[in-house]
Amino acid sequence: MTVCDKDIRSILYNEYFQDFRNDPDTVIVDELELCLGEARIDIAVINGAIHGYEIKSERDTLKRLLAQRDVYNKVFDTVTIITSKNHIDKVLEIVPSWWGVIQVEKKSGKNFGLNFIRQAMPNKDVDPFALVQLLWRNEALNLLKKYGLQKGYLSKPRSEIWAKLAASLSLDKLRYEVREAIKGRKKWRDGRQ
């Protein structure tokens, strides 16, 4: 039996993310768009950090992984890739050593399990501008106002607002504010938490 994307998502949601499901300080987002659509991460878990989870099932190819890797490295505090046995060697060549790696393995019958190859480590190279692009325009404006940076920016395009925030706030402050903004989005709380 072939392991497909929906099988891996099911395992992640029903087993691996179990502790997050009832945590009011955690939001789980499927298909989070990054850097104005340069890439989408399969699942993002936002709580005290922004964790990205990329799925590469048996049916997937690794053609986009190099480009995805470069975008994910700009945004996420940690990244974990979940893949099948047929991709594991190539994945280990492509992803940086700080990424977590999980291999999906067939157990018995239609059951699959997760084999942890490598634990994710903190990303030391988050790009502030790429990170603030996760903010919606109104969230970015609210953040400018919160820190008294709004003068001359209220009617500016969002790219200039993001640039101002990225240049004005420390990376730690940006990480915190972006996480809080995403967690505060009401419509995302109706998803599969």
Side-chain angles (χ1 to χ4, degrees):
M1 177 175 214
T2 304
V3 182
C4 60
D5 183 279
K6 69 179 174 72
D7 298 320
I8 297 172
R9 282 180 195 267
S10 178
I11 294 168
L12 290 174
Y13 273 98
N14 294 324
E15 295 175 28
Y16 192 63
F17 297 155
Q18 193 65 18
D19 292 343
F20 300 136
R21 293 175 69 98
N22 297 314
D23 180 358
D25 195 42
T26 298
V27 173
I28 301 173
V29 182
D30 284 307
E31 305 297 331
L32 180 64
E33 186 176 286
L34 308 166
C35 298
L36 298 175
E38 283 185 49
R40 287 179 189 265
I41 191 85
D42 287 312
I43 303 170
V45 176
I46 300 99
N47 44 35
I50 302 176
H51 310 269
Y53 294 87
E54 180 61 24
I55 297 169
K56 294 297 182 193
S57 74
E58 284 181 70
R59 295 179 179 176
D60 290 324
T61 70
L62 300 180
K63 284 188 231 177
R64 296 179 302 138
L65 186 56
L66 285 170
Q68 289 171 318
R69 175 198 65 194
D70 294 345
V71 174
Y72 300 167
N73 289 352
K74 293 178 187 178
V75 176
F76 290 103
D77 295 317
T78 59
V79 179
T80 298
I81 187 164
I82 305 94
T83 190
S84 54
K85 186 176 181 178
N86 64 317
H87 292 312
I88 197 72
D89 292 335
K90 189 67 175 168
V91 162
L92 287 168
E93 289 176 23
I94 294 172
V95 302
S97 60
W98 59 268
W99 277 35
V101 179
I102 299 174
Q103 182 178 326
V104 177
E105 295 180 337
K106 188 173 182 179
K107 285 183 174 178
S108 61
K110 296 181 180 181
N111 295 323
F112 301 97
L114 302 178
N115 178 25
F116 291 79
I117 306 293
R118 186 168 71 205
Q119 193 69 31
M121 303 294 288
N123 178 7
K124 295 178 182 165
D125 293 316
V126 172
D127 179 327
F129 186 74
L131 179 64
V132 297
Q133 287 179 323
L134 290 174
L135 294 173
W136 295 342
R137 188 176 193 282
N138 66 319
E139 294 166 342
L141 282 172
N142 288 338
L143 201 50
L144 282 178
K145 291 174 188 174
K146 178 178 179 178
Y147 290 97
L149 302 167
Q150 74 274 15
K151 187 173 181 182
Y153 282 88
L154 295 178
S155 61
K156 296 280 187 190
R158 63 184 180 172
S159 60
E160 290 185 41
I161 296 168
W162 289 331
K164 179 69 172 174
L165 287 169
S168 301
L169 300 180
S170 71
L171 182 57
D172 284 342
K173 196 164 287 209
L174 285 174
R175 283 176 157 150
Y176 171 79
E177 295 293 356
V178 169
R179 289 192 314 262
E180 291 305 302
I182 293 171
K183 289 188 294 186
R185 293 175 185 168
K186 301 294 182 214
K187 73 176 193 171
W188 284 13
R189 293 209 170 265
D190 298 332
R192 298 190 311 180
Q193 282 195 27

